[in-house]
Amino acid sequence: MTDAIVLAVVVPIFGAMLSMIAGLRFDRSGWTVAALTCLAQLGTALAILYTVVQDGTQRYELAGFTPPEGIELVADGLSAPVIVLVATVSLAVVVYARQAGPRGNAFYTLYLLLVGGLAGVTLTGDIFNMYVFLEITGLAAYALVASGDSTESAVAGLKYLILGTIGASLFLLGAGYAYIATGTLNMVDLSEQLAAAGYGSRLVLGAFGLLVTGLLVKVALFPVHTWQPGAYSNAPDSVSVYISALVSTVAAYAVARVLYTVFTPEFFTANPIAQTALVYAAAVSIIAGSVLAVLQRDLKRMLAYSSVSQFGMVVAGFALLSQSAAVGGVIHLIGHAVLKGGLFAAVGVVAAQTGARSIDEYAGLASRAPLSAGLVAVLGLSLVGVPPSVGFVGKFYIAVGAVETGTWPIAAVIFASTVLTLAYFARIIERMYFAQPAVEPSSDGAVAVDVGDGVSADGGEEIHSSAGASPEMVAVVVVAAVAAVTLGFAGSAIESFLEPTLVEVFG
Amino acid sequence: MIDLLTTKYNYIAAILLMAGGLYMVIGDRNLVKKVIGMNLFQTGIFLFFITTAFVEGGEPPVIQEGVETYVSPLPHVLILTAIVVGVSLTAVALTLIIRIYSEYGTLREDVITEMETDD
């Protein structure tokens, strides 16, 4: 069954080529190819999860070269849930993109390449291989962000490209330091060799700093988040959904890999300053991201800054090095992907239905589009952390971990950020349910025109007011909202699933 | 100091390339120069990797009769991959720059930002 591991990476890359080749002959074949590929990948991901549950960690040696010399792909308790998340979200976004666009085989080629890159980062057990997959992910993501119609999207894509490349290059330099210190690139082998090289060695410390900093650029923690709001808000709606749900998520997963598999908690016992620095950098990001989110007027931009804050929380969860906090980090990683992807999808649906994109334009949305307003409210409140949603469970475990390790400032920061998150979502809910539709001269007219534009651009039917949003698009948001609540009840199940892996890490 | 310059000049060159490249990315307002800076930064890293592969008295890593010591081949292979990645990134970056230029008529970042906020 270990073949499923390599198939999860190869199938999307093969699908990307197929989509490109099929495009030469059949103009509109991209969606079909992408849907079938993502379906197949979801199958392999579920097979991986099933084998990991049954038999524990699975390893696949690429091309028959034995590790540590050869490259291996690894599915364990940490990577299996993430690969299932990647496959599920990929399929959901393909369904969403059918109506929301962009269309054409070029889009789906890039999309499947991105899926393959993310699967590769998730499953690889080799640090240089991780760099290559990070760059494949990045390359596809830059091009997808720039595929928007607006002139700003190209600028946002270029900014993302330059910062993302610098981040990945730092990661490469860190891998080089680790290689010089140990002579190996395999993650498991590195953890032993780094210990042998001595955790106090400057090379090892340099490798840690460069690897983690490089990844944090990709995660978009404050203050290296500057590429992220532009990229999220100027990308086409489907792309926003996908990259907000997965690209930073997988980078944050890579941070956990580097912290737990490569450097191990003993490294932090030897260098407490490394842990302190990481935890407080995350804390600053939590607060700064929330404050910046409160200041935004554009919905997509606000959600983007909110991600800066939520990923601060995930990284803090990983860096606290307590088992509860790590469980919280993983739950919040998955929960945030579902919630933020769902919210961006909901924003896309609302924009297609009514043309509303800023908080002021959401006034009175509950009477114009009651279902969409309700979904935005449910997803928003889940992100705030109202029990029993998944947003609550993740934060709760991280806060428990902070208290257990005696890191009180983090517990306080999580509480403060919850209040700030409530501040920006309460504002939207207030607009949607309790405000009258705007009477200012511009808005109403602008909204009406936008509806017309949206319809003609999408080429959908023009019969009723929700012509721009297809039932599939709404269904994707409904599934996300249901998942947000049900995953909250699965918290303890996820904890017991992660336990064997984390016990191995924390001893 | 002189000793450092005569024996470790490759590392010094790598650091200069990286620092210069990073400065260009941050300090220069021209988008093409930013991409050139990004390339310089990567080139510095490539040079660093290749330098670490050097073994005193080593031959190029192609197996020959009567040669005992070879330089380490692995960093060369890694950097070959990284160069391919770098070329593709530059290609995408330049494509975006062409699109930006055709839409804004300028390559200066500050002018573009000004035009965006005016909209």
Side-chain angles (χ1 to χ4, degrees), chain A residues 44-296:
Chain A
T44 62
L46 290 174
I48 291 171
L49 185 69
Y50 178 77
T51 11
V52 170
V53 170
Q54 295 291 314
D55 309 327
T57 304
Q58 304 287 315
R59 293 171 187 280
Y60 183 93
E61 294 169 8
L62 284 175
F65 291 106
T66 333
E69 286 77 29
I71 295 171
E72 63 174 351
L73 300 179
V74 182
D76 62 5
L78 200 56
S79 57
V82 178
I83 191 74
V84 172
L85 175 79
V86 168
T88 314
V89 175
S90 303
L91 187 62
V93 173
V94 169
V95 172
Y96 186 85
R98 186 172 184 208
Q99 173 77 15
R103 305 251 160 86
N105 285 44
F107 167 73
Y108 287 108
T109 301
L110 282 170
Y111 181 81
L112 290 173
L113 201 59
L114 181 54
V115 176
L118 292 169
V121 176
T122 311
L123 291 172
T124 187
D126 184 278
I127 201 110
F128 185 78
N129 199 226
M130 185 178 250
Y131 161 76
V132 174
F133 278 121
L134 271 176
E135 286 289 47
I136 292 177
T137 308
L139 207 57
Y142 311 143
L144 283 176
V145 166
S147 69
D149 295 330
S150 71
T151 49
E152 286 95 347
S153 68
V155 180
L158 186 67
K159 198 169 179 185
Y160 183 13
L161 185 149
I162 290 174
L163 270 161
T165 306
I166 298 287
S169 302
L170 291 174
F171 183 88
L172 174 65
L173 194 56
Y177 272 48
Y179 174 71
I180 294 165
T182 62
T184 181
L185 290 164
N186 179 284
M187 289 184 188
V188 178
D189 197 34
L190 263 176
S191 67
E192 290 156 18
Q193 303 286 338
L194 283 172
Y199 286 135
S201 142
R202 281 189 194 164
L203 270 177
V204 176
L205 283 170
F208 172 80
L210 289 165
L211 286 172
V212 172
T213 313
L215 285 174
L216 290 185
V217 175
K218 294 262 177 186
V219 175
L221 234 51
F222 183 87
V224 281
H225 69 285
T226 46
W227 59 268
Q228 189 251 34
Y232 283 16
S233 59
N234 291 318
D237 284 342
S238 314
V239 177
S240 300
V241 174
Y242 195 73
I243 62 174
S244 70
L246 289 183
V247 173
S248 290
T249 305
V250 169
Y253 155 84
V255 171
R257 261 281 160 242
V258 168
L259 295 189
Y260 295 161
T261 308
V262 178
F263 283 93
T264 69
E266 283 90 63
F267 171 80
F268 296 98
T269 324
N271 300 295
I273 180 95
Q275 187 194 2
T276 316
L278 198 53
V279 167
Y280 284 96
V284 170
S285 189
I286 297 174
I287 295 294
S290 305
V291 170
L292 286 165
V294 173
L295 299 174
Q296 302 307 313

